[in-house]
Amino acid sequence: MKILMVSPDHPETFWSFKYALKFVSKKATEPPLGLLTIAAMLPGEWEKKLIDMNVTKLRNDDIEWADMVFLSGMSIQRESAREIIERCNKLDTVLVAGGPLFTAEFMEFEGVDHFVLNDAEATLPLFLEDLENECPEHIYTSSEFPSLKNTPVPMWELIDMKNYTTLDIQYSRGCPFQCEFCDISTLFGRKIRTKSKEQVITELDRLYTLGWRGGIFIVDDNFIGNKKKLKRDILPALIKWQERKRYPFAFGTEASIDLSDDDELMILMKTAGFNSVFIGIETTNEDSLTECSKIHNKNRDLVGCVKKMHDFGLLVKGGFIVGFDNDPPTIFNQLSTFIQESGVVTAMVGLLNAPRGSKLYDRLDGEDRLIKDFSGDNTDSSINFIPRMNPEKLVNGYKQIINNIYEPKAYYQRLRQLLVNYNPVKIKSNFQFRNIGAFFKSILFLGILGKERLYFWRLLSWTVFKKPQLFSLALTYAIYGFHFRKIFKLD
Ligand code: SF4
């Protein structure tokens, strides 16, 4: 059996880092972890190929080579997925689809032979068994949240690692919280399911043996869902492994803001080599936090929480949302001020949207306020429901925040504030010639041609004299600023 795994094209977005990738001569940020894991769950004797369309073109020859095409993606990849389905149908190749996009919206897709939905640990074995008995069904679905104990090591050998800036691993699925706009507890459940420390270490060993050094993103939606296990089991094992290998990896992940309440956990994470964490801060307006059930963010000094994490060596990337029913007209100024004061350089501000599977989707459906499907791009100024605030005012206010925080002066001010507070763990330097290339490209595009040139040179000089160990971070974030301005069309 020949299997072609296809990851659809990912359009330009905030997180695609498309304009930053050119500086480091990479093609994409991360490979498709889901498909690499599925590949490892298929029979060993089957021949497998993977095409990530963000890196390589999908040719008709590739589709014709395969007995079956396996397709997976997220809602942002919807349009490219439709084109792939059409091409497979034209070439008469059997198509199997799964992953978050199809689990939420399979009824919207025609031309797929078999849907293998929800967690593959529950549904893929059933499909494979029926396939062997020559009676595969159209849809495989499950309400079970299976254990990850037998989830195999992803088949990273199917990709060329050199094309990516970061590789991903997954340690857990699920989140104990129930934010109204989020579909994670529907998709993965509220009970945290985790891999064992042996599984995690085996995955790190595999990446190390394959030659990977540098960034690893742990894709869990809330890495700290089970703090006890992390502190007792996982992080001590990671620390031992990193020390033994002399810190080849720098970790990033996503977590809820209660991480800032737990000094012991932050110290362990820093010692294990974590240097960044994405936090859903969402809003500074308490009534909006109540509205969306983001209870763990309520009654907090949010600026203090962010600064504390920076102090502990965890650089905070923040998610923010406007468009809640309870947002006052002053929310745009409030959020701009908060982002500047807290020093969250990577601030993903989006308009509220309701993905299928979220409680918000059901509420708005009941209130007859839904207009269309969520585009999957949090920052494209689209809204899939009728907001309480005047839509024009809302979109204009949103654009005002983007302008306020990403215009060069404010951006570089924030970046400098971060560098003042931030104390990361030392990761083994992975110097490559493309770093020199990135340096010279940034001199040209930011330091000579860029409208930020004055701020760029000031920042580099300040960093060289005050915090030379953070020079590479300063340069990286200057390049990110270039990407953000392009994405928001501010340049
Ligand atoms: S937004 Fe974050 S904290 Fe809230 S339910 Fe989703 S994953 Fe959990």
Side-chain angles (χ1 to χ4, degrees):
M1 185 76 87
K2 291 179 188 149
I3 305 296
L4 177 69
M5 331 244 2
V6 182
S7 180
D9 191 32
H10 194 293
E12 276 176 27
T13 62
F14 186 88
W15 293 121
S16 71
F17 285 104
K18 185 185 160 193
Y19 296 98
L21 290 171
K22 290 178 183 152
F23 285 76
V24 284
S25 310
K26 298 280 188 180
K27 293 185 176 166
T29 52
E30 298 141 280
L33 183 65
L35 281 172
L36 294 173
T37 309
I38 297 295
M41 294 166 83
L42 298 177
E45 65 277 14
W46 288 8
E47 215 177 317
K48 294 143 201 153
K49 266 193 206 172
L50 184 140
I51 295 208
D52 175 359
M53 291 176 69
N54 302 288
V55 163
T56 322
K57 266 201 166 140
L58 174 66
R59 297 167 307 143
N60 283 351
D61 286 356
D62 298 314
I63 300 175
E64 280 165 340
W65 167 87
D67 295 311
M68 281 197 283
V69 168
F70 275 55
L71 177 63
S72 176
M74 296 181 289
S75 42
I76 189 72
Q77 294 165 296
R78 192 183 284 124
E79 287 322 305
S80 174
R82 283 195 197 288
E83 284 167 23
I84 297 164
I85 294 170
E86 210 174 290
R87 286 176 66 184
C88 288
N89 290 167
K90 270 192 192 142
L91 296 169
D92 226 5
T93 305
V94 176
L95 189 59
V96 183
L101 168 66
F102 297 103
T103 295
E105 301 178 22
F106 69 93
M107 60 303 259
E108 305 292 330
F109 290 89
E110 282 180 11
V112 173
D113 298 279
H114 310 287
F115 287 107
V116 181
L117 308 175
N118 303 99
D119 285 34
E121 287 83 352
T123 50
L124 187 63
L126 304 176
F127 169 65
L128 293 177
E129 195 186 322
D130 287 352
L131 192 67
E132 190 162 352
N133 296 327
E134 297 179 7
C135 56
E137 292 182 9
H138 183 45
I139 299 176
Y140 292 83
T141 181
S142 167
S143 54
E144 189 196 334
F145 294 121
S147 154
L148 306 184
K149 280 198 184 103
N150 297 318
T151 306
V153 176
M155 282 189 75
W156 284 297
E157 54 274 32
L158 293 180
I159 53 160
D160 182 353
M161 292 178 168
K162 287 200 288 292
N163 289 322
Y164 301 94
T165 55
T166 309
L167 290 193
D168 294 341
I169 64 170
Q170 184 178 51
Y171 156 63
S172 70
R173 286 182 211 159
C175 177
F177 298 113
Q178 282 191 299
C179 306
E180 192 190 28
F181 51 80
C182 177
D183 57 358
I184 292 304
S185 44
T186 310
L187 263 180
F188 297 129
R190 292 185 71 187
K191 187 167 179 286
I192 307 297
R193 293 169 288 145
T194 61
K195 291 180 182 168
S196 66
K197 73 174 174 218
E198 288 76 17
Q199 282 175 289
V200 174
I201 296 299
T202 307
E203 294 194 14
L204 296 182
D205 275 333
R206 183 80 189 121
L207 287 172
Y208 188 84
T209 310
L210 288 169
W212 182 254
R213 303 290 182 273
I216 291 191
F217 188 70
I218 302 184
V219 299
D220 309 11
D221 295 291
N222 190 357
F223 179 67
I224 63 165
N226 182 344
K227 293 180 190 158
K228 210 162 149 194
K229 181 165 180 176
L230 277 182
K231 289 199 249 187
R232 206 183 41 202
D233 207 14
I234 301 297
L235 291 169
L238 278 185
I239 291 169
K240 239 194 220 164
W241 188 91
Q242 286 270 61
E243 283 173 354
R244 210 174 53 244
K245 303 281 186 189
R246 298 171 58 206
Y247 284 84
F249 298 148
F251 297 111
T253 191
E254 301 179 311
S256 42
I257 200 155
D258 47 318
L259 171 62
S260 64
D261 303 336
D262 196 328
D263 295 9
E264 184 195 353
L265 184 54
M266 287 192 285
I267 291 170
L268 282 168
M269 283 176 69
K270 178 180 175 178
T271 317
F274 281 78
N275 61 13
S276 70
V277 61
F278 177 87
I279 305 274
I281 297 170
E282 324 305 4
T283 180
T284 47
N285 184 40
E286 288 282 320
D287 291 341
S288 302
L289 288 172
T290 309
E291 171 191 325
C292 70
S293 309
K294 193 111 193 173
I295 40 163
H296 46 292
N297 285 31
K298 287 189 65 179
N299 304 316
R300 281 177 178 277
D301 165 15
L302 290 168
V303 172
C305 293
V306 171
K307 289 198 168 166
K308 187 170 173 192
M309 287 186 267
H310 285 169
D311 263 0
F312 275 75
L314 298 169
L315 186 154
V316 175
K317 300 173 181 184
F320 300 90
I321 299 175
V322 285
F324 291 109
D325 289 353
N326 282 283
D327 276 354
T330 51
I331 190 65
F332 310 110
N333 279 336
Q334 281 175 28
L335 267 190
S336 305
T337 309
F338 172 83
I339 291 167
Q340 278 311 110
E341 273 180 16
S342 60
V344 175
V345 180
T346 307
M348 189 200 69
V349 189
L351 286 166
L352 182 66
N353 271 282
R356 282 179 196 243
S358 65
K359 289 195 161 30
L360 179 62
Y361 188 93
D362 295 340
R363 173 163 72 86
L364 294 171
D365 195 18
E367 292 171 8
D368 222 8
R369 291 168 65 192
L370 283 174
I371 309 171
K372 55 182 177 182
D373 263 325
F374 171 38
S375 72
D377 182 351
N378 308 67
T379 55
D380 64 358
S381 304
S382 69
I383 316 171
N384 73 338
F385 68 97
I386 302 164
R388 285 269 183 260
M389 195 183 284
N390 172 299
E392 204 182 321
K393 267 194 190 152
L394 177 57
V395 173
N396 286 342
Y398 167 66
K399 289 184 176 162
Q400 191 54 52
I401 301 179
I402 298 298
N403 248 311
N404 291 347
I405 63 170
Y406 283 111
E407 59 91 14
K409 187 176 174 197
Y411 182 80
Y412 277 84
Q413 252 172 17
R414 220 159 64 240
L415 177 49
R416 177 142 150 201
Q417 183 172 343
L418 168 74
L419 297 176
V420 169
N421 289 342
Y422 181 54
N423 261 322
V425 69
K426 176 127 184 64
I427 302 296
K428 196 170 159 188
S429 164
N430 178 32
F431 187 81
Q432 292 170 339
F433 280 108
R434 77 175 143 263
N435 296 358
I436 304 183
F439 176 66
F440 284 114
K441 282 181 200 165
S442 66
I443 299 283
L444 177 65
F445 292 109
L446 311 181
I448 298 174
L449 302 175
K451 69 177 180 189
E452 68 269 60
R453 53 187 172 272
L454 175 66
Y455 307 106
F456 174 80
W457 287 116
R458 273 192 195 152
L459 178 84
L460 289 201
S461 339
W462 181 89
T463 314
V464 166
F465 288 110
K466 301 281 186 189
K467 284 232 171 161
Q469 71 279 21
L470 296 184
F471 185 79
S472 142
L473 186 79
L475 199 63
T476 304
Y477 272 85
I479 293 170
Y480 285 179
F482 175 79
H483 164 77
F484 296 141
R485 279 193 298 282
K486 288 275 179 208
I487 281 294
F488 291 121
K489 301 190 176 34
L490 300 179
D491 265 353

